[in-house]
Amino acid sequence: MMVAAAREDERVREPDPTAAGIETLTSTDPVAGTGAEPDLHAVTRITLRPIASPMPLGFFTVAVSSVVTSGLQLGLIDSANRQAVALTVFSAFVLQLLVSILAFGARDVIAATLMGGFAGAWLANGLVTSTGAHGGAQVLGVMNLAFTVFAALMASVARPKKVLWLLLLIAVPRYFVAGIYGLSGAAWLGHAAGALGMLLAAVAMYAAYALMLEELRGREVLWIGRSGPVRDAMHAGLAGQLNRLEQQAGVRRTL
């Protein structure tokens, strides 16, 4: 959502279907004979810019990167190639950061926060692994445990988005086991984390494909499992979508 201000006369223009962002139409002249400023509610127009959903890209990125890192933990990729794996996940950081930015612009704080969190985790993992930093395994273990808490908190608010909720239910034990593995170094924990990572990748791949099909056909083809306000957001009319828009971030004065 973009914000722009423009000066016009006291007549409010008709909405422009090609406009984007928020445009405030005000007059610098006081109301004739009163010295009072005009009513801003009567001269303020809010318009929206539709975008394609970035979530399929986000889920596909989670899937592909999880396969690569889990392959290393399962021994499918030789441990001598750790640096190559680290360099590979740098692309995941870039793509998921992009998804997060677009999701913030689409006013979906849950998706934006989750994808931003994944982006940060991929970046930290890639930097520590590629540089071979001293104590890197233990530090990444602590980070994965902290990410477990983050994923659990995200799961507690993401239940109306069932497919995303399912992804987080797998992410919680996956990152918990990976954290314990980093701190202990027990090989069986690494294999368990890798197996959970492969399961996480499968669910993420399914979610990405289901969302793409929905975008292409304009209806839910594969199960996504929206409920409550999330389902209403897909089926409610325009008036319902814009309810209390003036209180949302980017429109209100403070976050």
Side-chain angles (χ1 to χ4, degrees):
M1 184 174 293
M2 301 170 56
V3 181
R7 293 185 178 178
E8 293 279 333
D9 55 17
E10 295 180 50
R11 178 175 59 85
V12 180
R13 298 181 301 177
E14 290 298 319
D16 177 5
T18 63
I22 300 174
E23 186 176 1
T24 303
L25 307 177
T26 62
S27 171
T28 56
D29 299 327
V31 177
T34 65
E37 292 295 326
D39 180 13
L40 291 181
H41 287 85
V43 293
T44 299
R45 180 178 68 192
I46 299 174
T47 55
L48 306 176
R49 181 193 297 275
I51 64 170
S53 173
M55 293 308 293
L57 174 61
F59 284 130
F60 274 131
T61 303
V62 170
V64 174
S65 299
S66 293
V67 167
V68 174
T69 55
S70 296
L72 179 64
Q73 292 170 325
L74 289 170
L76 302 177
I77 300 175
D78 193 277
S79 59
N81 299 322
R82 295 177 65 87
Q83 190 174 32
V85 171
L87 294 174
T88 300
V89 301
F90 276 127
S91 62
F93 158 69
V94 175
L95 292 175
Q96 295 210 263
L97 180 61
L98 174 62
V99 172
S100 177
I101 293 170
L102 292 174
F104 276 120
R107 300 179 296 135
D108 191 331
V109 67
I110 294 176
T113 303
L114 179 63
M115 291 299 155
F118 270 118
W122 292 128
L123 178 61
N125 191 296
L127 287 174
V128 171
T129 305
S130 64
T131 59
H134 179 69
Q138 289 75 26
V139 172
L140 288 179
V142 173
M143 186 199 74
N144 285 329
L145 290 178
F147 196 89
T148 301
V149 178
F150 167 74
L153 292 174
M154 293 299 299
S156 70
V157 297
R159 191 162 186 172
K161 300 183 175 187
K162 292 294 192 299
V163 71
L164 178 59
W165 182 60
L166 180 60
L167 183 83
L168 288 166
L169 289 183
I170 300 171
V172 170
R174 187 262 189 273
Y175 282 96
F176 177 76
V177 173
I180 300 300
Y181 168 63
L183 293 175
S184 68
W188 71 272
L189 286 173
H191 293 156
L196 287 169
M198 289 295 187
L199 180 60
L200 180 70
V203 174
M205 193 76 72
Y206 170 85
Y209 186 63
L211 288 172
M212 278 204 311
L213 281 179
E214 183 183 59
E215 287 286 320
L216 288 172
R217 301 189 184 181
R219 59 183 176 83
E220 184 176 310
V221 179
L222 297 176
W223 177 84
I224 296 176
R226 294 186 180 90
S227 62
V230 177
R231 179 176 175 79
D232 293 341
M234 295 298 294
H235 300 286
L238 183 60
Q241 295 290 307
L242 302 182
N243 185 36
R244 300 188 62 179
L245 183 63
E246 65 273 16
Q247 273 87 47
Q248 295 190 9
V251 180
R252 65 177 187 263
R253 188 171 199 171
T254 183
L255 296 177

